Amino acid sequence: MLLVTGGLGYIGSHFAVVALQAGYEVLVLDNLSNSHANVKEKVEKITQKSLDFIEGDIRDEELLDDIFKQYSIEAVIHFAGLKAVAESVAKPLLYYDNNVSGSLSLLKAMQNNKVNKIIFSSSATVYGEPKYLPYDEQHPTNPINPYGYTKLHVEHMLRDICTADNAFAAITLRYFNPIGAHPSGLIGENPKDIPNNLMPYLIKVANSELPYLQVFGDDYETRDGTGERDYINVMDLVEGHLSAINYLVNAGFHVFNLGTGKGTTVLELVSAFETANNIVIEKKIKSRREGDLAKFWAKADLAKKELHWEATTSLLDSCRIVQ
């Protein structure tokens, strides 16, 4: 059985779908801070398989210990974490408490119960200002915001555990910018508050739930002045996790980028969204957000070589709203 922390959230729920479809038993632990309980039923409807769910927090060490004693956990897929750069700048201690302390509690419970395989949901934000592009896994790590620092702290913990215990296997997957949704349209990115990420914000504008899209900065040194990112379809992303499970037979600490290898600006993504959905999006230019980089994209050759994985979904398909 796989323990999937944060498994009712955006990426976790999509992973739960592909894991169930691949024949794994899945136990989800989620505190529902930025997810919805009804996602469980939606995942079960898509897969026609049952999903075990416990509402709880990864900082609850007693609960974690009970879970590992009650269930036969083969590996942990660790998605649980706060993920908004701007919020992390405003509320750094919240991010350190949830992302770092929570991961520490999880790893202690794993160690106490002799579970020694984990895949960690990390981020390209650990790289910081680009020394060169595209980022490869050897690029220096130097985050520029608390969110990035929390991800890097957890990576350091994983590396140190693997050094201390030669049977421990930890895979860090450094995501670029996930977008899109499951083809069924039943699950997708659906934050409880005003979205911090571009795609769910676009969808809310398209559905007239928000009046216009805020574009943060149009004076970056990019093709059109807006920030440039590597947007990867969420289904491609979670397939990368399935491939990584097979790689957990290799003990030690391993890092892989998961991205498309292509940069797309905010305005280019908006244009693709408009084309894919035959819609016009109202937008307003705002000042830059603190903690944002001008541009970055991935070199994902290592994942292709070692995990036999690569992103295949087009930008247009990722932008299409499933009705």
Side-chain angles (χ1 to χ4, degrees), residues 137-151:
E137 290 83 355
Q138 283 70 51
H139 188 285
T141 51
N142 186 26
I144 65 167
N145 53 63
Y147 167 68
Y149 274 114
T150 65
K151 291 296 188 182

Side-chain angles (χ1 to χ4, degrees), residues 32-320:
L32 303 180
S33 64
N34 195 34
S35 56
H36 303 266
N38 66 358
V39 170
K40 176 183 184 294
E41 287 71 36
K42 292 178 179 180
V43 169
E44 292 176 330
K45 182 175 181 179
I46 292 168
T47 62
Q48 295 297 299
K49 296 187 177 183
S50 62
L51 175 73
D52 290 338
F53 168 56
I54 294 173
E55 183 177 349
D57 197 289
I58 57 170
R59 290 166 291 189
D60 186 339
E61 293 187 25
E62 187 175 337
L63 172 63
L64 289 170
D65 197 56
D66 287 344
I67 287 171
F68 282 110
K69 284 180 167 52
Q70 182 179 349
Y71 294 88
S72 180
I73 304 297
E74 172 190 351
V76 176
I77 319 298
H78 182 25
F79 295 103
L82 300 173
K83 63 175 185 176
V85 168
E87 183 183 52
S88 79
V89 174
K91 302 176 181 178
L93 294 184
L94 174 66
Y95 272 66
Y96 282 103
D97 182 40
N98 189 91
N99 295 4
V100 179
S101 296
S103 298
L104 179 60
S105 296
L106 176 64
L107 291 168
K108 285 162 66 177
M110 288 177 64
Q111 195 167 56
N112 290 340
N113 291 279
K114 297 180 171 53
V115 176
N116 60 6
K117 292 180 171 62
I118 185 170
I119 295 172
F120 173 54
S121 166
S122 190
S123 168
T125 56
V126 300
Y127 293 121
E129 291 283 355
K131 303 293 184 186
Y132 56 84
L133 286 171
Y135 290 132
D136 59 22
E137 290 83 355
Q138 283 70 51
H139 188 285
T141 51
N142 186 26
I144 65 167
N145 53 63
Y147 167 68
Y149 274 114
T150 65
K151 291 296 188 182
L152 190 58
H153 276 301
V154 178
E155 289 194 17
H156 286 166
M157 286 195 289
L158 293 173
R159 186 188 298 275
D160 290 344
I161 292 170
C162 291
T163 299
D165 180 355
N166 61 14
F168 205 95
I171 296 176
T172 282
L173 298 177
R174 291 174 178 165
Y175 303 170
F176 282 69
N177 291 68
I179 60 171
H182 189 270
S184 67
L186 287 174
I187 57 174
E189 189 166 12
N190 186 23
K192 289 187 171 178
D193 298 320
I194 293 176
N196 286 288
N197 293 339
L198 178 55
M199 184 61 78
Y201 207 111
L202 270 172
I203 292 171
K204 286 187 180 293
V205 174
N207 292 335
S208 300
E209 296 175 49
L210 291 170
Y212 57 83
L213 174 70
Q214 299 181 83
V215 177
F216 295 103
D218 65 348
D219 56 350
Y220 290 109
E221 291 184 13
T222 60
R223 289 183 291 278
D224 55 29
T226 61
E228 187 173 355
R229 303 288 182 263
D230 186 335
Y231 295 101
I232 176 174
N233 185 274
V234 66
M235 296 308 298
D236 287 337
L237 185 70
V238 295
E239 288 291 344
H241 292 70
L242 273 187
S243 300
I245 291 173
N246 297 327
Y247 201 81
L248 282 171
V249 296
N250 300 287
F253 179 71
H254 310 278
V255 176
F256 297 100
N257 286 339
L258 294 185
T260 67
K262 301 171 185 172
T264 301
T265 69
V266 171
L267 290 183
E268 287 169 346
L269 183 70
V270 173
S271 177
F273 185 89
E274 291 175 326
T275 299
N277 299 294
N278 192 27
I279 194 172
V280 175
I281 295 293
E282 293 293 324
K283 49 190 175 291
K284 290 188 178 181
I285 305 297
K286 302 288 186 178
S287 58
R288 297 183 185 187
R289 290 186 302 191
E290 190 174 355
D292 277 351
L293 289 171
K295 55 185 176 182
F296 59 83
W297 59 92
K299 185 175 184 181
D301 294 11
L302 188 63
K304 183 176 182 179
K305 178 186 175 185
E306 298 292 335
L307 304 182
H308 310 293
W309 169 91
E310 62 181 324
T312 58
T313 308
S314 72
L315 187 65
L316 271 179
D317 284 340
S318 293
C319 287
R320 193 166 286 116

